[in-house]
């Protein structure tokens, strides 16, 4: 009984390694179509690895509780050792968990925040206006579209998001960016698309409303097409000419 | 029953009178929202007068003495009883009923989501069912443990005969049925489709059922605030001789912390929905973008609703710590650090609300501070986990149903806590916000942390409350069944959320079909487990074998009196002489009854402040 830390530590290591191994085996995230997506995915993967020892410790104590510390024989059997507390354990627990929390705040917290929200410059500005239950795109040359969002690849685009009725949210899962559309306020999001592709290639290449906005919320999505810079300029010119 | 009938008649009469009065004064239709508001207020007044408010309060106003129900049979559960034990059972049975209705709404949602496309219910009805499910379950999580077991157990644990304000306590309970009725009748006015969060401006422009939602929130809030005042006063002023703060049982500590929070922050939700109501019926423009702010609602709402998750979970901590220490036969590890952590969480919980708003478009500089404060909560939560794990350490673990469910709780809440870090970090939250990852996360924390504790508590205190023992085999099967089915339901939803499925949608892209089908089948199996739960408790309450005062050989005061407890809890004054959890300390006794005449009085022995040893 006195040596119960040995099996618990072994179990802890085993569970942690198992969770880390399992984490490394799978692709957890959808395909990354923008530079920003890589930042988010790296942050998530780091957090997954950091959670392994935490989950592992709880699982280890739970497992050894069932295997090593279970007793039968009803309520009137002997009590356990009267360990009230242990200053060293409590103090080191506090220090370790605080250090972990501080580390997570810095990385991926502030580092990720800086990478995602830090750089306000952009090559193009595309405006999206939300209303129940569709998006209206306005390109830099004033051309507008309702059926799809066409984006130049390899260019940093600023999205100006507006709403004319209730709250909506502008989300492109393939880019991992999201910002709410608020009536009366213009919000912004930035993304640099990396490769050409369409909604048919990946269901996550869509603008999805992510804030409950009423009856048509579920289907308030618009397909995205990422094309080369030249093709994009040609597309918006044609669009403007047709208006 | 006659009081319930009288109350229902008066409530209906009040509603009709309110509608009639409004139409007579201003004209318009009886379904106009202002008429509904006036009708609801008079209906609520009629209900409270009818249920016993006239006897308990009204008679005093005309100089007569107040009368409250003194029935001892089953009738007292349908009357304005001021006995905290009756009120606890009223809360428990009502909220388990609400839990089942909320569960049925969840089953409807999972059937609709079993395959892509919209067929079983249409998209708008789906949003309405989501909203109804959300608010019903929030009510259960907010009031379940503290309403049922807080009322029943806390006064006994501190050695009091009742709560400090028994009539207020009864009012607090009798405000709950109108909440349920208002919410469940809201489909007559078009229901509400803005989610339980009811973000403006959608909640200003949707159908009139939203008004009943708003009224229900205000009523429920009154109940929470009255309950909060009552528990705070009771714990501070009504402790038995010798019940020092250092000897207070951990469930009572958790209940006190919860009550401080619900007393302090509930009014913010009420304020938010009252502003929405004013925008709808009085022509104000708090949330209109041109003159007001569409973002303002979120700030007011989350100022209540983030602390609210601790109102839900802190009593859960209390229950689980209580169960773990009893069934591990060991002192509660690091008791003082755990209590300090509970109150640290209370403090931090009111300064983290904007982490729900990282994608809301609020000012950029706010993201950093709210991220730091949110992550800081993981530190006291970790200390509470240390308390649980440290108590299990080298314990003599007796795996009865409460401990089995507590293990389910431990597993679930660990996952809930870890996934919370993903949502506290701005970088990851920007992608995960409003996706199924969030849905899975808050089910792990709220179901895993609060509802599982409610289930564990209902087995743990079942013999005390009914005087009978539940069926152990059926209890254990339920404990394992509910834990496994719960995890099978929600694990796939983490994946769906990460991979691009947003929440509150009745239809979704085909890519998520597999995960959803799996979750739906698991959810139905999860729902079915509750038949075993209800069956076990109902059967055992009537035909279960009788038990003595202390089947778990536990130490806190509720176990030193008969099961079920006598009308005023204690036949002689308890005196607390030692620590509640000094398991394994020779000769240690928590409390005794020095005036008791019975020779076999359970609590008699030496007092000692020793609560265990440092290791």
């Amino acid at each position: 009984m006195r040596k119960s830390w040995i099996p618990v530590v072994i179990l802890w290591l085993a569970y942690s390694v198992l969770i880390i191994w399992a984490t490394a085996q799978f692709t957890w995230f959808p395909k990354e179509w923008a530079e920003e997506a890589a930042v988010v995915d790296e942050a998530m993967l780091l957090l997954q690895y950091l959670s392994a020892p935490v989950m592992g410790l709880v699982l280890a104590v739970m497992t050894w509780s069932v295997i090593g510390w279970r007793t039968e024989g009803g309520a009137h059997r002997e009590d356990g050792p009267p360990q009230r507390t242990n200053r060293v354990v409590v103090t080191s627990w506090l220090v370790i968990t605080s250090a972990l929390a501080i580390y997570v705040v810095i990385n991926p917290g502030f580092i990720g925040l800086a990478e995602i929200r830090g750089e306000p410059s952009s090559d193009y500005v595309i405006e999206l206006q939300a209303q129940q239950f569709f998006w209206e795109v306005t390109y830099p040359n004033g051309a507008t579209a309702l059926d799809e969002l066409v984006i130049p690849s390899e260019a940093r685009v600023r999205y100006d998001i507006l709403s004319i009725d209730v709250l909506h949210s502008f989300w492109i899962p393939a880019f991992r960016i999201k910002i709410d559309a608020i009536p009366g306020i213009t919000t912004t999001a930035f993304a640099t698309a990396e490769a050409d592709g369409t909604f048919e290639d990946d269901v996550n290449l869509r603008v999805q409303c992510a804030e409950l906005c009423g009856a048509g919320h579920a289907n308030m999505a618009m397909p995205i097409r990422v094309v080369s810079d030249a093709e994009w300029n040609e597309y918006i010119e044609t669009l403007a000419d047709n208006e | 029953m006659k009081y319930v009938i009288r109350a229902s008649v008066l409530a209906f009469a009040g509603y009709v009178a309110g509608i009639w009065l409004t139409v007579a004064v201003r004209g318009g239709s009886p379904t106009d929202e202002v008429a509904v508001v006036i009708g609801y207020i008079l209906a609520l007044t009629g209900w409270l007068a009818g249920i016993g408010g006239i006897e308990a309060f009204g008679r005093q106003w005309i100089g007569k003495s107040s009368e409250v129900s003194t029935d001892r049979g089953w009738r007292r559960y349908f009357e304005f009883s001021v006995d905290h034990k009756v009120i606890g059972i009223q809360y428990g049975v009502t909220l388990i009923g609400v839990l089942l209705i909320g569960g049925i709404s969840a089953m409807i949602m999972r059937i609709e989501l079993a395959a892509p496309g919209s067929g079983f219910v249409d998209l708008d009805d789906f949003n309405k069912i989501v909203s109804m499910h959300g608010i019903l379950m929030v009510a259960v999580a907010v009031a379940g443990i503290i309403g049922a077991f807080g009322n029943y157990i806390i006064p006994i644990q501190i050695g009091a005969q009742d709560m400090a304000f028994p009539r207020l306590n009864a009012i607090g309970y009798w405000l709950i049925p109108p909440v349920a009725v208002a919410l469940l009748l809201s489909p007559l006015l078009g229901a509400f489709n803005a989610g339980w969060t009811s973000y403006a401006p959608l909640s200003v422009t949707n159908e009139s059922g939203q008004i009943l939602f708003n009224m229900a929130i205000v009523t429920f809030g009154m109940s929470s605030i009255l309950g909060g005042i009552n528990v705070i006063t009771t714990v501070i002023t009504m402790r038995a001789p010798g019940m020092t703060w250092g000897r207070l049982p951990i469930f009572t500590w958790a209940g006190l912390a919860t009550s401080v929070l619900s007393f302090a922050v509930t009014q913010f939700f009420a304020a938010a929905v009252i502003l929405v109501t004013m925008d709808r019926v009085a022509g104000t423009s708090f949330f209109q973008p041109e003159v007001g702010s569409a973002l303002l609602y979120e700030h007011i709402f989350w100022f209540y609703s983030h602390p609210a998750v601790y109102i839900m979970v802190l009593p859960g901590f209390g229950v689980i710590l209580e169960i773990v220490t009893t069934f591990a036969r060991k002192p509660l590890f690091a008791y003082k650090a755990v209590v300090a952590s509970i109150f640290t969480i209370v403090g931090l919980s009111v300064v983290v609300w904007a982490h729900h708003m990282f994608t809301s478009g609020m000012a950029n500089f706010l993201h950093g501070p709210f991220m730091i404060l949110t992550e800081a909560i993981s530190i006291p939560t970790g200390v509470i986990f240390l308390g649980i794990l440290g108590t299990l350490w080298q314990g003599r673990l007796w795996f009865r149903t409460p401990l089995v469910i507590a293990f389910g709780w431990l597993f679930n809440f660990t996952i809930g806590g870890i996934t919370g870090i993903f949502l506290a970090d701005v970088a990851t939250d920007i992608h995960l916000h409003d996706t199924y990852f969030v849905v899975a996360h808050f089910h792990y924390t709220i179901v895993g942390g609060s509802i599982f504790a409610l289930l564990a508590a209902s087995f743990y205190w079942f013999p005390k409350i009914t005087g009978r023992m539940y069926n152990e085999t059926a209890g254990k099967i339920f404990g394992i069944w509910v834990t496994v089915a719960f995890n099978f339901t929600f694990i796939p939803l983490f994946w769906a959320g990460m991979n691009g499925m947003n929440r509150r949608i009745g239809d979704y892209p085909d890519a998520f079909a597999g995960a959803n089908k799996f979750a739906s089948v698991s959810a139905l199996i999860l729902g079915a487990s509750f038949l075993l739960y209800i069956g076990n408790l109902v059967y055992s309450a009537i035909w279960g074998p009788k038990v003595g005062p202390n089947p778990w050989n536990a130490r806190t005061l509720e176990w030193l009196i008969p099961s079920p407890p006598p009308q005023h809890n204690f036949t002689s004054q308890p005196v607390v002489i030692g620590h509640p959890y000094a398991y394994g300390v020779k000769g240690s006794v928590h409390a005794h009854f020095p005036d008791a005449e019975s020779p076999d009085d359970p609590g008699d022995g030496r007092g000692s402040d020793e609560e265990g040893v440092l290791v």
Side-chain angles (χ1 to χ4, degrees):
Chain A
M1 268 306 185
R2 296 298 303 165
K3 293 281 183 231
S4 41
W5 61 271
I6 295 175
V8 174
V9 168
I10 292 172
L11 279 168
W12 181 13
L13 291 174
Y15 276 124
S16 305
V17 169
L18 188 72
I19 295 169
I20 289 170
W21 177 82
T23 305
Q25 291 309 300
F26 295 102
T27 309
W28 293 89
F29 317 108
K31 186 168 167 14
E32 295 160 358
W33 289 87
E35 284 172 16
E36 288 73 14
V39 177
V40 172
D41 289 358
E42 267 170 40
M44 268 199 283
L45 204 58
L46 174 65
L47 289 178
Q48 275 178 293
Y49 284 121
L50 286 176
S51 17
V54 179
M55 192 73 214
L57 177 63
V58 174
L59 285 176
V61 175
M62 284 173 69
T63 307
W64 197 247
S65 295
V66 177
I67 299 172
W69 295 327
R70 191 183 65 216
T71 56
E72 305 295 340
H76 295 271
R77 69 220 183 287
E78 65 162 330
D79 287 344
Q83 304 154 345
R84 174 160 67 92
T85 188
N86 182 323
R87 295 220 171 88
V88 178
V89 171
V90 174
T91 313
S92 32
W93 180 280
L94 256 180
V95 170
I96 292 169
T97 53
S98 305
L100 200 59
I102 291 167
Y103 178 76
V104 170
V105 165
I106 296 168
N107 181 30
F110 274 98
I111 292 177
L113 183 63
E115 286 182 24
I116 285 197
R117 292 261 170 94
E119 179 61 52
S121 70
S122 60
D123 304 321
Y124 301 108
V125 177
I126 299 178
E127 187 185 287
L128 278 94
Q129 180 176 279
Q131 61 180 295
Q132 292 169 327
F133 300 95
F134 59 91
W135 302 92
E136 181 178 355
V137 186
T138 307
Y139 291 104
N141 63 350
T144 60
L146 296 171
D147 54 339
E148 66 171 347
L149 172 63
V150 181
I151 302 173
S153 61
E154 310 289 342
R156 189 167 167 85
V157 177
R158 189 180 94 204
Y159 298 92
D160 283 357
I161 310 299
L162 303 116
S163 167
I164 60 165
D165 42 37
V166 298
L167 298 184
H168 301 271
S169 190
F170 167 81
W171 181 35
I172 301 178
F175 295 176
R176 318 283 192 272
I177 59 166
K178 184 183 291 130
I179 193 78
D180 286 2
I182 305 161
I185 303 175
T186 303
T187 54
T188 54
F190 295 86
T192 311
E194 280 181 318
D196 297 0
T198 66
F199 177 68
E200 280 70 38
D201 301 328
D202 187 343
V203 69
N204 285 321
L205 271 177
R206 69 186 198 276
V207 177
Q208 172 72 54
C209 177
E211 185 63 70
L212 181 59
C213 61
H217 168 60
N219 295 334
M220 188 172 160
M222 182 167 60
I224 293 175
R225 187 153 56 92
V226 186
V227 296
S228 71
D229 208 29
E231 268 181 85
W232 180 73
N233 277 302
E234 199 177 313
Y235 168 79
I236 61 171
E237 286 309 321
T238 322
L239 207 58
D241 292 345
N242 291 345
E243 274 176 1
Chain B
M1 283 303 274
K2 73 172 181 189
Y3 291 98
V4 174
I5 294 166
R6 186 178 76 180
S8 307
V9 170
L10 284 180
F12 186 73
Y15 188 73
V16 172
I19 298 277
W20 179 82
L21 204 66
T22 319
V23 173
V25 170
R26 70 180 277 276
S29 149
T31 54
D32 279 356
E33 292 182 354
V34 62
V36 174
V37 171
I38 305 287
Y40 179 86
I41 292 168
L42 292 188
L44 187 64
T45 314
W47 168 265
L48 290 178
I51 199 65
I54 295 169
E55 285 77 6
F57 297 96
R59 285 171 55 90
Q60 283 187 316
W61 300 335
I62 55 167
K64 295 183 177 174
S65 63
S66 79
E67 287 172 4
V68 291
S69 158
T70 49
D71 263 324
R72 292 292 294 155
W74 61 271
R75 280 192 187 81
R76 62 189 153 149
Y77 296 109
F78 298 93
E79 288 176 5
F80 195 84
S81 173
V82 295
D83 182 345
H84 71 97
K85 298 188 289 299
V86 174
I87 295 170
I89 290 170
Q90 287 170 331
Y91 265 107
V93 172
T94 309
L95 290 168
I96 294 287
V98 175
L99 177 74
L100 296 181
I101 298 171
I104 290 167
S105 62
M107 296 301 114
I108 296 172
M109 283 149 59
R110 281 318 320 175
I111 291 170
E112 165 61 31
L113 292 172
S118 168
F120 190 65
V121 290
D122 77 34
L123 288 180
D124 197 37
D125 287 346
F126 184 87
N127 292 350
K128 290 170 179 175
I129 297 169
V130 168
S131 311
M132 183 71 82
H133 170 78
I135 194 63
L136 292 178
M137 291 309 206
V138 164
V140 174
V142 164
I145 300 176
I146 192 74
F149 299 103
N151 262 308
Y152 200 107
I153 299 297
I154 286 178
I156 309 182
Q157 274 196 335
I158 62 171
Q161 294 192 338
D162 206 312
M163 297 287 262
F165 309 117
R167 291 185 298 176
L168 217 54
N169 202 16
I171 291 269
Y173 167 72
W174 286 106
L175 285 169
I176 301 288
V179 174
V181 171
L183 290 174
L184 294 173
L185 289 184
S186 70
L188 295 176
L189 291 174
F192 45 94
N193 68 350
W196 86 272
T197 50
S198 279
Y199 277 6
L202 180 60
S203 59
V204 178
T205 55
N206 59 359
E207 291 181 76
S208 297
Q210 186 69 41
I211 283 290
L212 285 177
F213 172 92
N214 294 355
M215 295 296 109
I217 293 302
V218 175
T219 314
F220 190 73
M222 282 197 283
S223 170
S224 287
I225 293 171
L226 293 178
I229 296 171
N230 216 341
V231 171
I232 294 169
T233 316
T234 307
V235 175
I236 291 177
T237 64
M238 297 186 60
R239 284 166 290 136
M243 181 60 87
T244 57
W245 292 111
R247 292 168 176 168
L248 205 60
I250 197 69
F251 179 66
T252 299
W253 270 122
L256 177 63
T258 307
S259 301
V260 169
L261 265 184
S262 53
F263 176 56
V265 297
T266 306
Q267 55 268 39
F268 287 90
F269 195 2
V273 296
I274 286 172
L275 296 183
V276 168
T277 308
M278 303 259 286
D279 271 11
R280 293 179 75 113
V281 304
T284 55
S285 47
F286 293 106
F287 303 121
Q288 277 174 16
E290 299 81 27
V291 279
S293 161
L295 201 53
L296 175 65
Y297 180 92
E298 289 183 50
H299 280 294
I300 310 175
F301 171 80
W302 286 116
F303 198 84
Y304 162 73
S305 293
H306 192 77
V309 308
Y310 293 98
I311 294 175
M312 301 173 195
V313 167
L314 287 178
F317 288 155
V319 167
I320 298 303
L321 288 160
E322 200 77 59
I323 288 173
V324 163
T325 183
T326 300
F327 291 98
R329 318 297 309 164
K330 278 186 61 201
L332 180 54
F333 189 76
Y335 168 88
K336 284 177 186 159
V338 167
V339 171
S341 299
I342 288 175
F343 281 87
T344 310
I345 289 177
V346 168
L348 283 174
S349 74
V350 296
V351 288
V352 296
W353 77 90
H355 66 223
H356 294 271
M357 300 169 62
F358 285 153
T359 68
S360 73
M362 67 177 182
N364 239 335
F365 67 87
L366 287 171
H367 293 102
F370 278 103
M371 182 166 68
I372 296 173
L373 288 161
T374 304
E375 305 262 12
I377 285 195
S378 66
I379 299 167
T381 311
V383 172
I384 291 169
F385 264 78
L386 174 66
I388 296 171
L389 300 181
T391 307
L392 290 173
W393 192 265
Q394 294 178 337
R396 304 285 187 273
L397 293 176
W398 186 28
F399 276 91
R400 297 294 299 254
T401 305
L403 189 63
V404 172
I405 300 178
F407 267 55
W409 182 98
L410 195 54
F411 183 80
N412 294 337
F413 201 75
T414 308
I415 293 184
I418 287 172
T419 51
I421 302 286
F422 289 67
L423 299 170
D425 251 50
V426 180
T428 44
D429 180 64
I430 285 172
H431 177 56
L432 297 173
H433 182 80
D434 261 324
T435 67
Y436 257 85
F437 190 93
V438 176
V439 174
H441 159 74
F442 72 67
H443 280 89
Y444 267 95
T445 49
I446 305 304
V447 181
S450 182
I451 304 297
F452 266 66
L454 175 67
L455 298 173
S458 62
F459 284 103
Y460 179 62
W461 280 305
F462 185 87
K464 176 52 58 188
I465 291 169
T466 62
R468 293 171 186 274
M469 186 53 86
Y470 61 83
N471 184 294
E472 184 59 41
T473 312
K476 271 186 192 146
I477 291 172
F478 167 73
I480 294 165
W481 181 355
V482 74
T483 307
V484 172
F486 173 80
N487 278 281
F488 276 39
T489 305
F490 288 99
I491 287 280
L493 299 181
F494 283 121
W495 178 88
M498 279 168 139
N499 282 276
M501 180 170 171
N502 54 317
R503 63 188 280 213
R504 291 168 162 172
I505 48 172
D507 185 14
Y508 52 84
D510 294 346
F512 310 115
N516 275 284
K517 193 172 192 176
F518 190 86
S520 287
V521 172
S522 306
L524 292 172
I525 297 171
L526 172 63
S529 71
F530 279 82
L531 297 175
L532 181 61
Y533 171 73
I534 300 292
N536 187 359
L537 293 197
V538 170
Y539 178 90
S540 306
I542 304 168
W543 293 290
K546 294 205 169 189
V547 289
N550 197 355
W552 311 133
N553 199 18
R555 294 169 50 95
T556 44
L557 267 167
E558 77 268 29
W559 301 107
L560 305 185
I561 58 172
S563 309
Q567 191 175 7
H568 294 295
N569 301 346
F570 301 98
T571 46
S572 74
Q573 176 65 50
V575 175
V576 178
I577 51 176
H579 201 266
Y581 306 115
Y583 291 102
V585 180
K586 279 210 167 47
S588 155
V589 168
H590 174 50
H592 69 155
F593 301 89
D595 306 332
E597 287 169 13
S598 161
D600 57 11
D601 186 278
D604 192 24
R606 273 182 312 119
S608 149
D609 240 345
E610 198 183 347
E611 47 170 304
V613 295
L614 292 162
V615 289

